[in-house]
Amino acid sequence: MSRIAPIYPADRVTLREVGLRDGLQLVKTWPGTGDKAEWLRREHAAGVRHFEVGSFLPAATFPQFCDIEEVIAALAGLEGGHSAALALNERGAAAAFASQVNEIVCVVSATDAHSQANMRRSRAEAVALVRRIVEMRDAAGSGKIINVGLAMALGCSISGAVDPQDVIRLAGECLEAGADIVGIADTIGCAGPRQVGHLAAGMERLFGERPFIVHLHDTRGMGIANAAAALDSGARVLDASLGGLGGCPFAPGATGNVVFEDLVYLCETKGFPTGIDLDGLRRAREIAETSMRGEAFHGALARAGPPGNMPWQARL
Amino acid sequence: MSRIAPIYPADRVTLREVGLRDGLQLVKTWPGTGDKAEWLRREHAAGVRHFEVGSFLPAATFPQFCDIEEVIAALAGLEGGHSAALALNERGAAAAFASQVNEIVCVVSATDAHSQANMRRSRAEAVALVRRIVEMRDAAGSGKIINVGLAMALGCSISGAVDPQDVIRLAGECLEAGADIVGIADTIGCAGPRQVGHLAAGMERLFGERPFIVHLHDTRGMGIANAAAALDSGARVLDASLGGLGGCPFAPGATGNVVFEDLVYLCETKGFPTGIDLDGLRRAREIAETSMRGEAFHGALARAGPPGNMPWQARL
């Protein structure tokens, strides 16, 4: 817990930019290393500090992440920048430990059906992998944070509805396995705010003062409403991506992650200061858009801007 | 109150389609009368019953509403169809009383500055006009509902922030003037869910069992989150438009009203049955889109559809 307190303070909202990881998983074109570094610089200049920058995966299969070491290094050069990257197996974890990355993200599916289909392992095996990665970390005397994302935690592309008690129990097993922080993901973007609020409240009861992450997709347009419900239920760490980058393989044409810019507006108007400047996000979006011309960028703030004649930002 | 109980029951959610009125105010092209009637038929077949169908305004200046009598007649032929139309002065009200329309919508600005700029009258004069329209109604022995929409109730394009106490006081004056139902409008789409929830809670205290309307714009992407907050604070009547039709003159390129289809998904997942079928809305959207090819239609459900392998609809 002391490991994450400086990175994810419990008393304020932290927004994690996942566009460079989740947003690049399904795209046909992606930014070159220089553009990724400039994207990070601009979004960092806007006040963002937490970034998922890629996955430790074979470069032959996932060329969009082949420059992950350089992207991590670029972020390491920015004051307070915190990098996270996915490691989906021990090979990926070994690469992550050999890198400068600050946080290793493991994925555990909330359903056995999805876990088997996607990872060819049961949920119990996935939790056991988390435990081994924690052991690798501790054996190496590393300070890296181990983050476990619970995929399909609000509905599964294979099994359908997911029992929240199952998710909470799985989150507890991940904590017990040594995870520093755990996230609940609405991977297919099917949840509404009542369900999100209910699951987040269960997480809050389990985690107490310890923060947890809520990762939402806007597939059915509920992203911002779900984020509001999560905040109301005690969530203080939320994932999003600039322009809502990131498709969903199960819903062609659907938007991806919650739109970062709009999430900033939500947080500020709800009284949670983010320290993030919307004009700065607009400059970051420019580099993302120009380096990925084939992709759709979403979001209302980027179009309309904040209102000019009234206060909307929370007091720091 | 007995006048509105059958139309706006207090114990369930009612969604009002305002696309044929608010959605057509700023567009360059609009559907012909036959297409408007087909739009109404299809959306009625999907389960929608409440429609704002236009404004009683001079046809020379607002040709999109020149066929309002025929559109009202088309809806009158559909079982349970309830038509509403704007009347912004006594001439418009006289035309409305001479028509078959079921509900006359008056607009009172929440700020004097906007009221003067938009209507060349003070708020007090606007409330006095409501009183005269109610008297016209009662003198004629008419059963038409008088609905007062409070424009700029959550922020004003001219004055900026709006004091919610002012809005509640104004809503009370409208009730006292004889309005059957009152709505609060986020005309410029600047509010967040905390503010909407707070104002809706104030309305609920004032109105008790009597329903009030919440009219939201999605200009800053908060529309669905704001609707969720309104429902949480007791609102039971919400405006929306198919595909989010309806621009905002103060935010070029911004989306308009809350997207009807997405609002249905929100309500259902929050446990409020709407009786509205999303497939039917898709068929209605087809006619709206093909008859207005220059306009942008928004919304996530129209792209992604509801999840196919889990329950999401509230039980009736």
Side-chain angles (χ1 to χ4, degrees), chain A residues 154-161 188 190-194 218-222 224-225 228 251-255 262 265-266 269-271 300-301 303-307 309-311, chain B residues 154-161 188 190-194 218-222 224-225 228 251-255 262 265-266 269-271 300-301 303-307 309-311:
Chain A
L154 289 135
C156 175
S157 56
I158 300 170
S159 328
I188 56 169
C190 62
R194 184 170 69 166
D218 201 31
T219 316
R220 270 99 191 174
M222 303 294 118
I224 293 290
T255 51
D262 296 359
Y265 194 75
L266 175 80
T269 61
K270 278 182 77 70
L301 264 295
R303 281 194 307 266
N309 65 348
M310 65 189 81
Chain B
L154 289 136
C156 175
S157 55
I158 300 170
S159 327
I188 57 169
C190 62
R194 184 171 68 165
D218 202 31
T219 317
R220 270 98 192 173
M222 303 294 118
I224 292 291
T255 50
D262 297 359
Y265 194 74
L266 174 80
T269 62
K270 279 182 77 71
L301 264 294
R303 282 193 306 266
N309 66 348
M310 64 190 81

Side-chain angles (χ1 to χ4, degrees), chain A residues 208-257:
Chain A
E209 285 298 296
R210 193 174 181 136
F212 59 92
I213 299 175
V214 177
H215 176 100
L216 299 165
H217 281 249
D218 201 31
T219 316
R220 270 99 191 174
M222 303 294 118
I224 293 290
N226 288 347
L231 289 165
D232 288 342
S233 290
R236 290 295 176 266
V237 188
L238 294 166
D239 288 355
S241 69
L242 208 59
L245 196 66
C248 170
F250 312 104
T255 51
N257 290 279

Side-chain angles (χ1 to χ4, degrees), chain B residues 63-223:
Chain B
Q64 60 269 56
F65 301 130
C66 69
D67 57 0
I68 188 165
E69 303 274 3
E70 293 148 274
V71 180
I72 291 166
L75 182 53
L78 301 173
E79 192 178 340
H82 178 80
S83 60
L86 260 66
L88 301 176
N89 51 38
E90 278 162 285
R91 186 182 302 191
F97 284 119
S99 80
Q100 288 188 75
V101 80
N102 303 120
E103 175 180 319
I104 300 175
V105 184
C106 307
V107 177
V108 172
S109 285
T111 70
D112 260 321
H114 180 261
S115 190
Q116 292 290 0
N118 198 49
M119 305 278 219
R120 294 193 196 87
R121 60 172 80 110
S122 68
R123 286 181 295 183
E125 287 165 336
V127 173
L129 175 60
V130 169
R131 189 185 306 271
R132 284 198 301 282
I133 291 174
V134 169
E135 288 165 358
M136 287 166 75
R137 191 264 314 270
D138 293 345
S142 158
K144 295 188 195 307
I145 288 172
I146 309 297
N147 166 348
V148 179
L150 301 179
M152 305 288 171
L154 289 136
C156 175
S157 55
I158 300 170
S159 327
V162 172
D163 181 349
Q165 290 312 313
D166 252 26
V167 178
I168 300 297
R169 188 164 49 239
L170 193 59
E173 289 170 19
C174 293
L175 276 187
E176 197 275 325
D180 298 300
I181 190 164
V182 177
I184 46 173
D186 183 13
T187 310
I188 57 169
C190 62
R194 184 171 68 165
Q195 188 191 356
V196 170
H198 179 245
L199 185 60
M203 291 288 283
E204 222 244 343
R205 279 191 297 276
L206 175 66
F207 283 65
E209 285 298 297
R210 193 174 181 135
F212 58 93
I213 299 174
V214 178
H215 176 98
L216 299 165
H217 281 250
D218 202 31
T219 317
R220 270 98 192 173
M222 303 294 118

